[in-house]
Amino acid sequence: MTDVAKAVEAMKAKFNPAAAAGLDLVFGFRIDETKNFALIVKDGTCELQEGENPDANCTLVMDTETLKGIVSGETDGMQAFMGGKLRVEGDMMLSMKLSELFPA
């Protein structure tokens, strides 16, 4: 399992179904410009999908180290964004929901 796959699995393990009640969202992730996956959050469930999802409401673009740091809690997502290590494409406000859906 790659570092990216491990980080994504760790993120999925932190999923908070109560925060996802009534939601129907797709979060895309592009890691190192080559690895794509999506988290589909719908009605209190979270499904992981490999590859790019054209229906993503927002896509987070970062490198593997940034992803691992955010998932482990060593890196603050907002600081990564402000420092240029994380870029958001699409609905930026939705990216803020990730901290509720996947608490540290």
Side-chain angles (χ1 to χ4, degrees):
M1 189 180 280
T2 66
D3 282 349
V4 171
K6 285 181 194 163
V8 173
E9 285 299 323
M11 185 175 167
K12 192 176 174 206
K14 295 178 179 185
F15 180 64
N16 174 9
L23 294 181
D24 186 1
L25 301 170
V26 178
F27 294 97
F29 293 83
R30 188 163 55 247
I31 311 302
D32 298 327
E33 295 297 332
T34 58
K35 300 174 197 87
N36 292 285
F37 63 92
L39 285 170
I40 299 155
V41 176
K42 186 170 183 158
D43 294 328
T45 65
C46 174
E47 178 191 337
L48 180 62
Q49 179 184 72
E50 296 240 7
E52 197 168 347
N53 187 315
D55 298 326
N57 300 93
C58 74
T59 300
L60 288 85
V61 182
M62 68 193 95
D63 62 19
T64 301
E65 289 307 308
T66 302
L67 174 68
K68 287 175 14 185
I70 290 172
V71 171
S72 72
E74 292 172 33
T75 303
D76 178 69
M78 185 57 78
Q79 287 177 338
F81 177 77
M82 297 301 221
K85 293 182 176 284
L86 167 65
R87 193 171 82 242
V88 179
E89 297 173 354
D91 189 338
M92 189 174 293
M93 294 311 291
L94 275 182
S95 65
M96 306 300 267
K97 283 229 61 67
L98 285 167
S99 61
E100 293 171 39
L101 293 167
F102 302 94

